[in-house]
Amino acid sequence: MIFFISGCKVKKVTVGEGISFEKEENLRYGTDPEQIMDLYTPHQGFSNKKNVFIMIHGGGWRGGDKSNLTFFTLSMMQRFPDQVFANINYRLASSTSPGIPNQTDDIASVIQYLDKKLNGRPQFILLGNSAGAHLSMLYAYHFDHQKRIKAVVNIVGPTDLSDPGFEKYDDYSFVKNYLVSPKAVVPGISKTLFASPITWVDSTSAPTLSYYGNTDRVIPLSQMRSLDSAFIQSKVNHETYEFNGGHMDWEKAPNNQFLIEKTARFLKHLDKK
């Protein structure tokens, strides 16, 4: 697989024979320096009948960068040559600047920006890994009040921040104490439960495809099982797969291509309904 990117402000990206996109790099969707994205639009333009993938990187909520997902985004573009892809950065969390609600607000800002940019109201697919998957699920299940999210692709995402198995995460003290702003929390619920996607799963939740590693030392399989249980109870359309490997092995061959093909099949089934 060969990718070619030409050198100009609006770059042409070729991902296969007859498959090309226009790339606009570091578009600002907000006033903060971290609120930027790379936007890939099919060379033939955008149709309201098409989907927009919003790619959301991991990094423990306070690290990472959109560049971490660039190669996987290009691979997805090859499989989905007529869709739009937005590979985003978001405001990183710190002990003085909580990730929630800033990061979920950033997803909302991206959607608002793309509505105007693309001159329409497309359907959005949130695809994230690790912390990015957590944010994808949390936004889709709790903050998507206008039901703009067609589906979520959850790659090794934390689903229950109060899970004892997840408390072994080496940065758990940050998650517990600083990830969520106390001002954002609904009365009568802890910060960790408020920020847990499974708390908000109901019968209207976005269809979700999940992908977890069977030797992941960061996100235990108990997180996958808790999410599946919530989906089954609420009768949410979902598919769940395991891959051989640890937290970062989802992007390695053959795991990456397996994920891409399962995503394509999952979305095709949604379109038939």
Side-chain angles (χ1 to χ4, degrees), residues 77-105:
M77 287 159 53
Q78 187 176 51
R79 184 62 179 82
F80 298 91
D82 57 352
Q83 312 296 321
V84 174
F85 288 82
N87 187 14
I88 73 168
N89 273 355
Y90 48 84
R91 287 173 288 176
L92 298 178
S94 69
S95 58
T96 57
S97 181
I100 309 298
N102 280 353
Q103 293 168 349
T104 47
D105 285 350

Side-chain angles (χ1 to χ4, degrees), residues 9 42 60 95 103 110-111 118 129 133 147 149 153 161 202 244 257 271:
K9 188 174 182 181
S95 58
Q103 293 168 349
V110 166
I111 290 172
L118 299 172
N129 72 295
K147 298 301 177 184
I149 306 306
V153 180
L161 303 188
D202 63 25
N244 292 322
Q257 286 303 316
D271 288 337

Side-chain angles (χ1 to χ4, degrees), residues 10 21 93 150 165 171 188 268:
V10 177
F21 289 73
K150 176 179 181 177
D171 208 16
K268 186 176 181 179

